[in-house]
Amino acid sequence: MNVAVVQMEPAFGDLEANCARICSLLARADAPVVIFPELALSGYFFTDRQQLHQLALERDASLLQAIEDVATKQGKIAIVGFPEKEGDNIYNAVVLLGYQTERCYYRKVHLFYKERFVFTEGNVGFPVARVASLDLHIGLMICYDWRFPEAARTLALQGADLIACPSNLVTHIWRMAMPVRALENKVYVAVANRIGTESNGDETLSFNGRSAIYGYNGSVLAELPADVEGIAVAPIEPDKTRSKSFNPINDLFADRRPWAYRL
Ligand code: ACM
């Protein structure tokens, strides 16, 4: 089965345009699972809570329904970042939705930099969606969560075969760590990163692309360049991630010694 990561430049604050773009890119991705960047529906660099509140979507938003309808019609699962509104809170969220699957939501737990000014910390833990039609277990985390090995570990311990990581990465060091998250958990990791820049006041953030799909041994299965939009596709074999042994004696999970770890 193929997995795709979409690298794009969302239009800041233009939900309708981004939704249309996501729907058309979904059709072009040659995979049943298609992962889009963090906050792909809205853009990223918000520091004004009021402005973000006006753009944030409730779970029953028609734009999410439109993406779900397109994905369902194409027999695909889409994973899309959006600002989620619930009462007075706004979460940096992703939703997994589409063909023959229940929606699964993740709200970013580790808030990066000025996200703290506008978003509320996620309160649903790290979820794993069990997609029966594909016999695939997809764990969700977002961008800066990579800095915390506990995030990927929590997903792997719950049975994730693939970790989807919608991202808006602004440093380059993640490229050393993401493949390690794959190999230390023996799971696939797919990073959908955005490109382009966004300015707020006198500060500009540059997003560095290089979206990638890593194999369960940390190898690079597919990768995009730093500064162009595109879609990377790689085949995955979920059942290969389900035994955590890597030689006849050792097993990544059976060999863990939680009593010796400080939590
Ligand atoms: C990030 O978490 N968007 C760097």
Side-chain angles (χ1 to χ4, degrees):
M1 154 196 353
N2 280 347
V3 168
V5 288
V6 174
Q7 182 163 296
M8 59 184 279
E9 180 171 7
F12 184 80
D14 194 340
L15 297 169
E16 305 274 343
N18 292 325
C19 180
R21 201 76 211 301
I22 286 165
C23 291
S24 83
L25 288 163
L26 195 49
R28 282 177 34 203
D30 180 21
V33 178
V34 187
I35 304 162
F36 292 85
E38 176 182 11
L39 295 175
L41 261 171
S42 60
Y44 177 78
F45 197 12
F46 293 91
T47 52
D48 178 345
R49 235 182 148 277
Q50 210 45 41
Q51 180 191 22
L52 181 57
H53 200 265
Q54 276 166 17
L55 288 166
L57 302 173
E58 290 179 350
R59 290 187 175 185
D60 62 359
S62 59
L63 292 180
L64 297 181
Q65 189 60 53
I67 298 170
E68 187 166 45
D69 290 346
V70 169
T72 301
K73 208 175 283 175
Q74 294 174 10
K76 291 178 181 171
I77 306 286
I79 298 169
V80 182
F82 74 104
E84 182 194 344
K85 178 161 60 182
E86 186 186 55
D88 284 341
N89 293 313
I90 311 168
Y91 300 96
N92 181 340
V94 295
V95 61
L96 175 154
L97 41 66
Y99 182 67
Q100 287 187 351
T101 193
E102 272 188 32
R103 286 191 186 185
C104 177
Y105 294 89
Y106 169 60
R107 294 169 168 171
K108 191 175 187 179
V109 165
H110 302 106
L111 295 178
F112 180 73
Y113 195 50
K114 294 183 179 175
E115 288 171 32
R116 281 159 191 260
F117 299 167
V118 291
F119 290 108
T120 300
E121 196 169 288
N123 57 359
V124 295
F126 293 95
V128 175
R130 289 179 157 71
V131 181
S133 59
L134 298 172
D135 187 23
L136 176 64
H137 306 156
I138 306 175
L140 301 175
M141 65 182 207
I142 300 177
C143 203
Y144 178 54
D145 286 328
W146 72 262
R147 285 255 190 188
F148 304 87
E150 297 89 344
R153 178 69 98 201
T154 299
L155 292 168
L157 286 172
Q158 293 178 88
D161 311 309
L162 164 71
I163 293 178
C165 188
S167 295
N168 280 188
L169 288 146
V170 293
T171 64
H172 292 275
I173 43 179
W174 65 271
R175 292 179 52 235
M176 290 189 286
M178 291 287 194
V180 178
R181 298 289 95 82
L183 83 87
E184 69 195 0
N185 291 295
K186 208 173 164 195
V187 295
Y188 293 92
V189 174
V191 182
N193 195 17
R194 62 161 289 176
I195 59 165
T197 62
E198 282 184 13
S199 297
N200 193 318
D202 56 6
E203 186 173 12
T204 297
L205 297 180
S206 299
F207 305 97
N208 55 44
R210 305 291 289 260
S211 297
I213 301 167
Y214 300 101
Y216 56 80
N217 60 3
S219 58
V220 179
L221 301 180
E223 187 176 31
L224 291 166
D227 52 2
V228 291
E229 293 194 324
I231 302 174
V233 177
I236 65 166
E237 297 176 276
D239 51 317
K240 293 265 175 70
T241 70
R242 291 180 187 170
S243 158
K244 298 299 180 185
S245 66
F246 58 93
N247 67 30
I249 294 174
N250 292 108
D251 180 292
L252 276 178
F253 283 4
D255 291 352
R256 294 175 68 242
R257 296 293 177 263
W259 66 265
Y261 309 149
R262 287 184 63 138
L263 297 176

